Structures are given as C-alpha cells and as structure tokens.
Amino acid sequence: MAAMAACMMPFAATGAEGGKVFNAVVAADGSGAFTTVQQAIDAAPTGRTSPWLIFVKAGSYEGSVTVPQDKPFIHLIGQDKERTIIHRALNVGGEPKPGTPANDMDYWACSVHNPASPTYKAEGSVVTIHANDFYTSGISYVNDFGVDSQRGPQALAMKSRGDRAGFFDCKFRSFQDTWMTTQNDAYRHYVKDCFIEGAVDYFYGGGDALLENCTLYNVRRGSVIVAPCHATAKWGYVFRNCTIDGNAAAARDAKCALGRPWHNSPRAVYIHTTMRIPIAPRGWSDMGAIPALFAEYDSRDANGNPVDLSQRKSTYKGRGDNPPTGSCPTTVSKAEADRMVYENIIPGSDGWNPRAMMQRLPAPKAVKADGAQLTWQPVSGAIGYVVLSGNEVVGITAEPKLTAKAAAAGKQLRVRAVNRYGTLGE
C-alpha cells in the first residue's frame, strides 16, 4: 500500500462513501450504510451472476451471519483480518443430564438447543454459507465459546456448504470443529494465506479443498487437524506449502495428529509441509472409517530437515462389533504430488479461477496532497481505492483522487487499490 506523510488531520471524504466501488459498506461505528454484516447480506439481491461487493470496516461484529442459497456471488471483504472480526459464542451441545457438575455445563448458556439462550435455534456455526460462489478476504471468523473455553462441544466458526468457495488472508478460530466444509464431494474450496486454529477435528467435511500457504494452529496436546468424510471426491483435502504450528501444550510430547477418518473413504494429503511442532510418529488415528488416502510428501521440521515418516499409520479399523480393517498409503510420490496442484483441482469444467480474485494490485504511485486534494497515479485494473489514516478508513473513491477536509497536525495516509473482486491491494 502506498503511504505518505501529510500535514493535515485524517481525510474525510465529501462524497457518498463506497457507493461507486463497493455495493455496500458495513461499519460498526455507523459510518457505513449498515452496522451489521447480516444487514448488508439481507439487502443484497438474489440470483446474482457477478460479484456483489460488501466492504466491512475494521470493528467487532458480534452475531451470526448466514448467506442463503439464493444469494450467490457475495464477496465479503474486510479491511484487515486482525481488526475486522465476526464472532459469537455458540455451540451445539445438548441439554446437560441431571447431576452434571456446574463447571461441566457452562456450555449450555450459549447452546443453540437451549430455549433460554440468545443463540436458541441459531445456525450451528457463527457463519454459514449456503450459496455458491462465496468469496472473502481480510476477516477473522471466531467462535468465542471455543476460543474462550478451550473445550467442546462442537463450536463452528465457519460452515461453507456451497461450490466455488474462496478464502484469502482470513483467520478461523475455535476449539472443536472450527470449520466444516461442504458435504457435496463435487464442490470445490480454495483457501490461500489463511490461519486456522483449533484442537479437535478443526477442518472437516467433504468436497475437493486445496489449501495453500496456510497455517494450521493447534491449541491442545493431542490435537487432531482434519476429519474428512469424502465418499466420491477425486482429490479430497490437499494441503500445499502449509505450516503446522501450535502453542506450548500442542508442542509437548509429540501427540498431535494430522487427522482421522470420519466417514466413507476420506482423502487428505500434506505436501511440502513445515511442521513447527512435533507430530505423533503415527501421524494419523482411527475414527471408524478406512481412508482412501491419508498421506504426505516432503514433510519437514522447523529447521527444514525431512520428517521421519517410517512409523506413519497405514492400517485403520472400521466401526461395528466386528469392525473391518483396511489400509492406505502413507506417502505419495513426487509425480503424484505434482498432480495435486491448483490447475488440476480447482478450475473444473467451468474455469473457476479464485487466484484471480486474490491478486493484490500494486501500491498506487505518486501519492501527494495539495491542500484539500489528495491525488495519485491510477492503478491498472483498479475499480477504486480505499484511503486510510492509521486504522481508520477516511475515504473510498472510484477516482485516483480524494477531496477532503484538512486541518493541522501530520498524519500518515495510505492508499490501497481495489480489484474488481473487492480484494484490497498493496
């Protein structure tokens, strides 16, 4: 992002903010058209065939968010994932049995099954995406119950059920079942440069999902990362160039697992993974299904040394009184790993290309102030610009200029170009 020191107070745009750049602006402080994310989604049209851009200014947005099935192409763009936070405390725990100790039933206060809870009959996730063609960047999605209690029951931060779902530069935080992907194995997710935190099966479900350059952050000794349930997926979960990390508890005793098979014949492969905390030598654990493929290629420790995969689990036990057993490979070859790439997994027959959505435009050049006028050189491909002073959005403009009210005192201003999908540039 371009920055300049200007001898004036933060700029305040004189026009209708964001109207020609974003379709809607959400601001918790009332400076946008909406104060909640759900209001902006409710106001969005149905049946879109091109992006509907919703910009969410930095702030705390407490409450559930649902994108209904008839509202595809919602693009939810946050100002900054560290400061733009959609969160709520909820879980799907059932009613406690009589005699349950008080400290074991605190979850009930925010259970979606509790008639006395403010979350009663809410979706079982802080954010639920039913529609196709959802895209988001620059936002943290947090289940406060999971993060604050550091225990179960199930407490989703994200449930993404549609096809062609893109996630860029976001955070997802909870404890148990942080993120549930689609259960339609023909659907695709692409996740890039994201941070996913949890302890129990915290990335789980179905579909073909490619995660690149993401951090999988474990918060408990013996954490389990994935619990897929693929039945017909061609690729399943593929992690490329990701990092497995965690807190001190997760790093202790090498007890964390890469995953376990929830249902059907799941697939999960870790390729070029950096393991900053030790993983259990067996790597994987049982859950009642027999995976089609639970494997790795080129796993390395924090120092870049190859991880010993010789003890990785290859035999799994199914469910039932006389459970079947089965096996799957623990590694894939270089040739196999080289096939598990974006070009093979993501575009499909419709040519979906979420990487284009995630391409940050370069920083505007020649930014200068002349009295109340701020100008810069146009950025090729930009539909508009966001102007900031510190963490405050002081203007959104479709032109490479901003007329503003000026006052004394120096402030540093930053200008970020916006691409046609809503992503903020450098």
Side-chain angles (χ1 to χ4, degrees):
M1 64 192 80
M4 64 164 292
C7 294
M8 53 187 63
M9 290 293 285
F11 280 77
T14 57
E17 186 176 48
K20 293 183 179 180
V21 180
F22 297 98
N23 298 105
V25 175
V26 181
D29 62 6
S31 61
F34 303 97
T35 56
T36 74
V37 175
Q38 191 63 56
Q39 288 172 350
I41 291 171
D42 291 344
T46 59
R48 293 282 299 182
T49 57
S50 61
W52 184 263
L53 307 183
I54 300 174
F55 181 64
V56 186
K57 290 186 180 182
S60 171
Y61 299 89
E62 184 174 5
S64 297
V65 173
T66 300
V67 178
Q69 191 172 9
D70 63 354
K71 292 192 176 183
F73 287 97
I74 294 291
H75 285 206
L76 202 57
I77 310 299
Q79 177 183 326
D80 175 354
K81 71 176 181 294
E82 303 297 340
R83 299 178 178 86
T84 310
I85 303 170
I86 298 174
H87 65 106
R88 193 178 189 186
L90 60 78
N91 63 72
V92 299
E95 184 174 3
K97 296 179 180 179
T100 300
N103 61 349
D104 288 338
M105 57 183 293
D106 57 349
Y107 72 89
W108 185 236
C110 59
S111 170
V112 299
H113 301 300
N114 182 358
S117 169
T119 65
Y120 183 52
K121 291 187 176 181
E123 292 262 19
S125 176
V126 176
V127 175
T128 305
I129 312 300
H130 294 287
N132 294 340
D133 295 290
F134 175 79
Y135 171 65
T136 185
S137 71
I139 296 177
S140 282
Y141 297 94
V142 181
N143 190 309
D144 293 330
F145 172 79
V147 172
D148 294 344
S149 71
Q150 290 293 285
R151 53 171 292 208
Q154 182 184 90
L156 279 75
M158 171 63 67
K159 181 188 289 185
S160 45
R161 302 181 67 87
D163 190 15
R164 298 182 296 273
F167 303 85
F168 174 53
D169 191 30
C170 289
K171 280 190 171 184
F172 305 85
R173 303 183 65 208
S174 187
F175 185 86
Q176 180 173 332
D177 301 341
T178 303
W179 185 347
M180 183 180 188
T181 62
T182 177
Q183 289 186 283
N184 186 323
D185 281 342
Y187 287 179
R188 291 153 291 166
H189 283 30
Y190 181 60
V191 186
K192 185 173 184 289
D193 298 349
C194 288
F195 177 98
I196 308 168
E197 174 186 312
V200 182
D201 307 334
Y202 62 92
F203 190 81
Y204 76 109
D208 286 330
L210 173 61
L211 291 83
E212 294 190 305
N213 306 318
C214 293
T215 295
L216 307 165
Y217 194 83
N218 300 274
V219 295
R220 187 193 73 174
R221 180 176 181 264
S223 291
V224 181
I225 300 173
V226 303
C229 62
H230 305 105
T232 60
K234 181 177 181 180
W235 306 98
Y237 289 169
V238 178
F239 300 85
R240 291 191 69 94
N241 302 310
C242 292
T243 299
I244 295 176
D245 205 347
N247 60 14
R252 188 167 61 245
D253 300 339
K255 296 293 185 181
C256 291
L258 299 173
R260 54 184 182 170
W262 181 22
H263 287 299
N264 305 314
S265 304
R267 294 176 173 270
V269 182
Y270 293 81
I271 300 169
H272 304 308
T273 305
T274 298
M275 299 179 175
R276 295 180 59 86
I277 62 171
I279 296 298
R282 289 174 61 78
W284 311 84
S285 59
D286 282 311
M287 198 183 185
I290 299 169
L293 183 64
F294 271 8
E296 298 164 75
Y297 175 74
D298 187 37
S299 296
R300 299 192 173 255
D301 65 19
N303 298 315
N305 301 310
V307 173
D308 179 7
L309 306 181
S310 63
Q311 298 181 57
R312 289 300 196 243
K313 179 179 177 66
S314 61
T315 301
Y316 294 82
K317 182 181 294 185
R319 293 181 174 87
D321 295 334
N322 187 22
T325 60
S327 63
C328 74
T330 61
T331 61
V332 294
S333 67
K334 182 181 185 303
E336 291 171 316
D338 288 346
R339 291 183 62 246
M340 299 176 184
V341 293
Y342 180 91
E343 291 77 10
N344 292 331
I345 300 171
I346 296 302
S349 60
D350 53 19
W352 184 48
N353 185 18
R355 277 185 180 170
M357 305 176 195
M358 302 171 184
Q359 186 66 45
R360 292 198 192 276
L361 294 175
K365 297 180 179 179
V367 184
K368 53 186 177 180
D370 183 7
Q373 188 79 4
L374 182 68
T375 61
W376 53 88
Q377 291 181 357
V379 175
S380 177
I383 63 167
Y385 307 86
V386 175
V387 182
L388 304 104
S389 175
N391 298 321
E392 179 186 3
V393 175
V394 296
I396 301 174
T397 174
E399 303 297 328
K401 60 184 179 180
L402 185 70
T403 302
K405 298 176 182 179
K411 292 288 182 180
Q412 187 178 68
L413 303 176
R414 295 174 293 141
V415 183
R416 304 185 70 175
V418 180
N419 74 13
R420 66 192 182 98
Y421 303 100
T423 303
L424 301 188
E426 300 293 344

